[in-house]
Amino acid sequence: MIETERLRLSLHQMTDFHDLHAMWSDPDVVRHISGVPSSEQESWFRLLRYRGLWDLLGYGYWCVRTKADGRYVGDVGFADWKRDIEPSLDTVPEAGWVLARWAHGQGFATEALQAALAWMDGRGVDRTVCIIAPEHAASCRVAEKCGYSLKGNACFRGEKTLLLQRERDDR
């Protein structure tokens, strides 16, 4: 578990499923990710993947909730999704974040990602990457605030995608 001033990041539990599904099935939330709201089954598979990442990789995604009232904020973390992307991400941990619509524009993504990156830095991970749809200005701002810089363009699912990279702070 990681705590910030306003947030608590913890491993996903079964009790998080309905909140996770509500977020991933919201068209506004997924507009710049896949463009397709998730079905209940797809959300369930996502929850299982999130938990499995930790056992297989030693890192993964956290469930983000407010400390004040436990409200579901979203998901943040790292993965190796084995994406079919050019250029390849190899085995570099890929950062990702997604927030429930109510939580947009409040600085939660930056706060949660900074905490997750500090956790990764503390484990000696030298570099992380993230991919962002070019039109997703809010995520580009989060990435920049968290130390990511443009490495170049990538092609993912036939679409131009921004590839950003961050080096560990204490290298």
Side-chain angles (χ1 to χ4, degrees), residues 14 17 39-49:
M14 291 274 297
F17 174 70
S39 69
E40 189 172 54
Q41 181 182 38
E42 290 163 336
S43 294
W44 175 246
F45 289 166
R46 178 173 280 108
L47 179 68
L48 296 175
R49 285 191 305 265

Side-chain angles (χ1 to χ4, degrees), residues 5 10 21 24 26 43-44 68 71-72 75 77 84 87 90 125 128 131 138 140 148 160 167-168 170:
E5 181 181 336
S10 61
H21 175 57
W24 281 98
D26 183 334
S43 294
W44 175 246
R71 189 169 183 190
Y72 184 82
D75 308 326
D84 183 14
D90 296 317
V125 175
T128 60
I131 60 173
C140 289
Y148 284 92
K160 178 182 164 188
E167 302 286 334
R168 189 175 77 218
D170 63 344

Side-chain angles (χ1 to χ4, degrees), residues 85-161:
I85 189 170
E86 269 308 312
S88 171
L89 303 180
D90 296 317
T91 59
V92 178
E94 178 187 339
W97 55 93
V98 58
L99 273 61
R101 186 179 348 163
W102 75 267
H104 292 180
Q106 298 184 52
F108 288 138
T110 301
E111 186 175 333
L113 183 58
Q114 286 173 339
L117 285 164
W119 184 90
M120 282 296 263
D121 288 351
R123 273 132 195 90
V125 175
D126 289 334
R127 178 171 59 115
T128 60
V129 296
C130 64
I131 60 173
I132 301 174
E135 66 277 6
H136 196 352
S139 275
C140 289
R141 283 191 302 275
V142 169
E144 184 180 343
K145 289 178 192 176
C146 292
Y148 284 92
S149 58
L150 185 63
K151 183 176 179 185
N153 291 316
C155 184
F156 180 58
R157 296 182 183 148
E159 299 287 328
K160 178 182 164 188
T161 301

Side-chain angles (χ1 to χ4, degrees), residues 6-25:
R6 301 179 295 164
L7 304 172
R8 184 171 288 119
L9 287 65
S10 61
L11 295 184
H12 287 83
Q13 305 296 321
M14 291 274 297
T15 53
D16 298 317
F17 174 70
H18 293 292
D19 290 330
L20 180 145
H21 175 57
M23 178 182 69
W24 281 98
S25 63

Side-chain angles (χ1 to χ4, degrees), residues 31-97:
R31 178 180 37 181
H32 298 295
I33 300 171
S34 68
V36 180
S38 292
S39 69
E40 189 172 54
Q41 181 182 38
E42 290 163 336
S43 294
W44 175 246
F45 289 166
R46 178 173 280 108
L47 179 68
L48 296 175
R49 285 191 305 265
Y50 282 169
R51 285 300 298 255
L53 288 167
W54 289 98
D55 285 340
L56 295 174
L57 301 177
Y59 57 83
Y61 271 69
W62 288 272
C63 173
V64 181
R65 291 189 176 274
T66 59
K67 283 171 58 173
D69 60 6
R71 189 169 183 190
Y72 184 82
V73 173
D75 308 326
V76 66
F78 305 93
D80 178 356
W81 297 123
K82 304 291 184 204
R83 294 190 191 276
D84 183 14
I85 189 170
E86 269 308 312
S88 171
L89 303 180
D90 296 317
T91 59
V92 178
E94 178 187 339
W97 55 93

